Amino acid sequence: MLNYIWAGLIVFSLVFAMVHDLRDLSRDTYRNDRPLPVTLHFPEGYDPDARRVPLTVTIDPETFGAFYGTEARPAASYEGVLVQTREGRQLRFAEDVAVPEPLSTIRAMTSARDNDLRGLIGPLTLRGDTLAATTVTFPPVRFVKMHAIAEAAIDFAETAVTLALGLIGTLALWMGLLQIADRAGMLYSLVRLTQPVLRPLFPGIPKDHPALAMIVLNLTANMLGLGNAATPLGIKAMEELQKLNPEPDTATNDMVMLLAMNTASVQIVPPVLLVAIMGLQINQLFFSILIVTLLSLIVAIASAKVLGRLKAYRDTDPQRAAAGTGREDAGT
Amino acid sequence: METVRTLLDILSVFVLPTIIVGFPLYGLIKKVPVYEEFVEGAKEGFNVAVMIIPYLVAILFAIGMFRASGALDFLIDGLRPVLGWLGVPPEVLPMMIIRPLTGSGSAAIVLDMINQYGEDSLLVKMAATMFGSTETTFYVIAVYFGAVNVKKTRHAVPAGLIADVFAMFLAIYVVRLLFG
């Protein structure tokens, strides 16, 4: 199923980006190569031959709306500079100012590094000493979404690595602590204590096996809203389950069960991130979150169990294939 | 209710220090060479982190592309009438769809909804309950299965998603019942 979801995400992204960009082209959303009327306000006593002239730009809201066919309206005025370049006189808006769509997209596409909207100025019609009516033509913008998906793919690939490397510290800490707990015999006592409850859910785990201890620790950390501690413990539990797996590239029923219980994530204490966002308001949500997670935990357990019995999934069960048909059936 | 809540808050504050100090202390009592064992175990942390990178990249870049292409917004718009009929307020729909895909994205949605509708609104309570009672399913799958190199996930995705969908709908009804 993950294969289809994954391929679906990628293929649909491409199709959508293409449809969106073709629609932009046919509607000419960005009015490529067409001049937008603007008014320039020069400072008193400016030098007409200077290479850079600071000024303010005003765009008539009605003209703007009609030109781009949009509801968005520009601000009353923008700071900017007029720069002499080889291609002609260029108007540069101040960096990082808030501009309405589609100008912000044009800026993002054509001046990503400096983040200042740039366009070439047409002939000036002077009105008095400091005022001039003119037009500005922004560089053409095409295939916005195509650029966007390519950029997103690269950005998120980097994010993934940052996320994974960010885990190293907490992973190492918890793996170290668990190693001590294991050597001190603490995990064994935990297994003895909890296996009457947990073993029916994880029939593939033999009696007194350390995997149970890791599962308990993982679920407990989850319940207490300790997301950062829950992940290393869950990974450790997966490693223990993998030791019982005769086919290392295929998930066992127990692994799926652990995953389902994690996604349902019973929360007695809400996750740290949510507390940070909601502040004291979170107190009100204590019971609603508890009720929802408890019931969805039941649903998660049930769906993991029931789906595991479907023929397609039963045939791919690594432990069943290895054990023949005997032992596993007796357990469930 | 308040005392239970306070007790749990205090408990959750003490859990981490207790474990971090308690484990080595107990080990010491049991005559375990705690420092050596800690370092031995901790070495594994690096390997695991590196091991999950390919899995995380695969999941995250696909989700990132899907969002950037505008397909996600389209999906949300398309589902709006269907879910409205099931009693789902259209405002919480983005949360329902984005929650299993990205944790930071759904946190941003809660923040945005607080700004838009106010902390006390029913909509924010629904979204926050959804956030609190489900997980970033695809991230969890990538990390947990990635760490042990499992590629054939079998019924993990459907089971996780069924639990997610159930929790999302339940959050709406429970919040309505408790606060509505």
Side-chain angles (χ1 to χ4, degrees), chain B residues 58-132:
Chain B
I59 295 275
L60 288 187
F61 101 80
I63 289 170
M65 268 175 81
F66 194 68
R67 248 172 43 175
S69 72
L72 190 60
D73 296 329
F74 183 83
L75 184 69
I76 290 170
D77 283 340
L79 283 175
R80 203 156 276 176
V82 184
L83 290 176
W85 184 73
L86 288 170
V88 176
E91 293 88 347
V92 299
L93 194 59
M95 185 66 184
M96 297 176 78
I97 292 173
I98 289 170
R99 180 67 186 131
L101 298 176
T102 115
S104 53
S106 36
I109 290 183
V110 177
L111 272 176
D112 185 53
M113 287 180 72
I114 290 175
N115 286 336
Q116 234 176 319
Y117 309 109
E119 273 194 327
D120 261 332
S121 68
L122 222 51
L123 292 171
V124 168
K125 289 197 171 90
M126 286 173 186
T129 304
M130 286 176 185
F131 187 99

Side-chain angles (χ1 to χ4, degrees), chain A residues 193-217:
Chain A
L193 209 67
T194 52
Q195 64 181 356
V197 186
L198 279 184
R199 276 206 56 220
L201 295 178
F202 298 92
I205 303 176
K207 206 159 178 284
D208 296 340
H209 193 275
L212 286 170
M214 297 302 168
I215 292 171
V216 175
L217 290 173

Side-chain angles (χ1 to χ4, degrees), chain A residues 90-173:
Chain A
Q90 193 185 48
L91 174 66
R92 293 185 187 167
F93 286 66
E95 286 172 34
D96 307 322
V97 291
V99 289
E101 281 294 346
L103 295 185
S104 55
T105 308
I106 295 177
R107 175 171 70 188
M109 291 290 290
T110 57
S111 172
R113 200 159 44 91
D114 295 322
N115 206 28
D116 56 348
L117 185 62
R118 296 171 178 195
L120 288 179
I121 292 290
L124 296 182
T125 317
L126 289 175
R127 294 197 186 129
D129 279 349
T130 61
L131 229 90
T134 182
T135 59
V136 54
T137 309
F138 296 111
V141 168
R142 294 183 187 93
F143 302 112
V144 173
K145 289 287 179 192
M146 280 307 207
H147 282 282
I149 58 170
E151 208 176 292
I154 290 163
D155 277 356
F156 275 79
E158 278 172 26
T159 310
V161 176
T162 319
L163 277 176
L165 294 184
L167 284 176
I168 292 180
T170 34
L171 273 172
L173 173 65

Side-chain angles (χ1 to χ4, degrees), chain A residues 171-236:
Chain A
L171 273 172
L173 173 65
W174 284 97
M175 299 274 174
L177 289 172
L178 286 174
Q179 175 88 3
I180 295 175
D182 186 26
R183 284 300 145 94
M186 288 172 82
L187 298 183
Y188 182 67
S189 348
L190 194 59
V191 171
R192 297 297 296 269
L193 209 67
T194 52
Q195 64 181 356
V197 186
L198 279 184
R199 276 206 56 220
L201 295 178
F202 298 92
I205 303 176
K207 206 159 178 284
D208 296 340
H209 193 275
L212 286 170
M214 297 302 168
I215 292 171
V216 175
L217 290 173
N218 165 247
L219 295 178
T220 316
N222 241 329
M223 277 186 222
L224 296 173
L226 309 170
N228 284 339
T231 307
L233 294 166
I235 289 174
K236 195 79 189 158

Side-chain angles (χ1 to χ4, degrees), chain A residues 1-2 5-6 8-10 12-14 16-17 20 145 148-150 152-154 156-157 159-161 163-165 167-168 171-181 183-187 189 217-218 222 224 226 229-236 238-239 242 245 247-253 255-256 258-260 262-265 267-271 273-275 277-279 281-289 291-293 295-296 299-300 303-305 307-308 313-314 316-318, chain B residues 1-2 4-5 8-9 11-12 15-16 19-24 26-28 30 32-35 37-46 48-53 56-71 74-75 99 101 103-104 106-108 110-111 114 119-120 124-141 143-145 147-164 166-168 170-171 174-175 178-179:
Chain A
M1 180 146 177
L2 199 51
I5 292 180
W6 190 73
L9 286 174
I10 298 171
F12 272 115
S13 311
L14 183 75
F16 258 89
H20 188 280
K145 289 287 179 192
I149 58 170
I154 290 163
F156 275 79
T159 310
V161 176
L163 277 176
L165 294 184
L167 284 176
I168 292 180
L171 273 172
L173 173 65
W174 284 97
M175 299 274 174
L177 289 172
L178 286 174
Q179 175 88 3
I180 295 175
R183 284 300 145 94
M186 288 172 82
L187 298 183
S189 348
L217 290 173
N218 165 247
N222 241 329
L224 296 173
L226 309 170
T231 307
L233 294 166
I235 289 174
K236 195 79 189 158
M238 276 292 176
E239 287 178 349
Q242 182 71 317
N245 185 0
E247 273 176 60
D249 70 335
T250 309
T252 62
N253 283 347
M255 288 178 173
V256 174
L258 177 64
L259 209 98
N262 262 286
T263 56
S265 80
Q267 305 270 312
I268 295 177
V269 177
L273 188 57
L274 188 62
V275 176
I277 294 173
M278 298 284 292
Q281 208 65 22
I282 196 78
N283 280 322
Q284 293 189 356
L285 298 177
F286 174 62
F287 278 108
S288 63
I289 292 179
I291 294 169
V292 173
T293 51
L295 291 177
S296 73
V299 170
S303 50
K305 279 280 181 207
L307 287 172
Y313 294 127
R314 213 170 47 185
T316 51
D317 182 355
Chain B
M1 174 179 169
E2 277 308 301
V4 175
R5 183 75 199 106
L8 281 168
D9 258 350
L11 180 70
S12 73
V15 173
L16 280 185
I19 291 177
I20 293 169
V21 179
F23 278 26
Y26 186 79
L28 214 56
K30 288 275 170 178
V32 173
V34 281
Y35 176 75
E37 290 296 342
F38 179 89
V39 174
E40 203 50 48
K43 275 180 192 164
E44 218 185 315
F46 184 80
V48 170
V50 172
M51 191 112 84
I52 61 178
I53 288 176
L56 267 186
V57 170
I59 295 275
L60 288 187
F61 101 80
I63 289 170
M65 268 175 81
F66 194 68
R67 248 172 43 175
S69 72
F74 183 83
L75 184 69
R99 180 67 186 131
L101 298 176
S104 53
S106 36
V110 177
L111 272 176
I114 290 175
E119 273 194 327
D120 261 332
V124 168
K125 289 197 171 90
M126 286 173 186
T129 304
M130 286 176 185
F131 187 99
S133 46
T134 55
E135 257 291 346
T136 320
T137 302
F138 286 95
Y139 172 83
V140 175
I141 286 175
V143 169
Y144 281 26
F145 282 145
V148 291
N149 259 320
V150 164
K151 295 177 198 85
K152 294 173 188 155
T153 57
R154 291 179 63 229
H155 49 306
V157 177
L161 288 183
I162 289 172
D164 280 345
F166 177 80
M168 300 287 184
L170 196 65
V174 166
V175 168
L178 290 180
F179 305 102

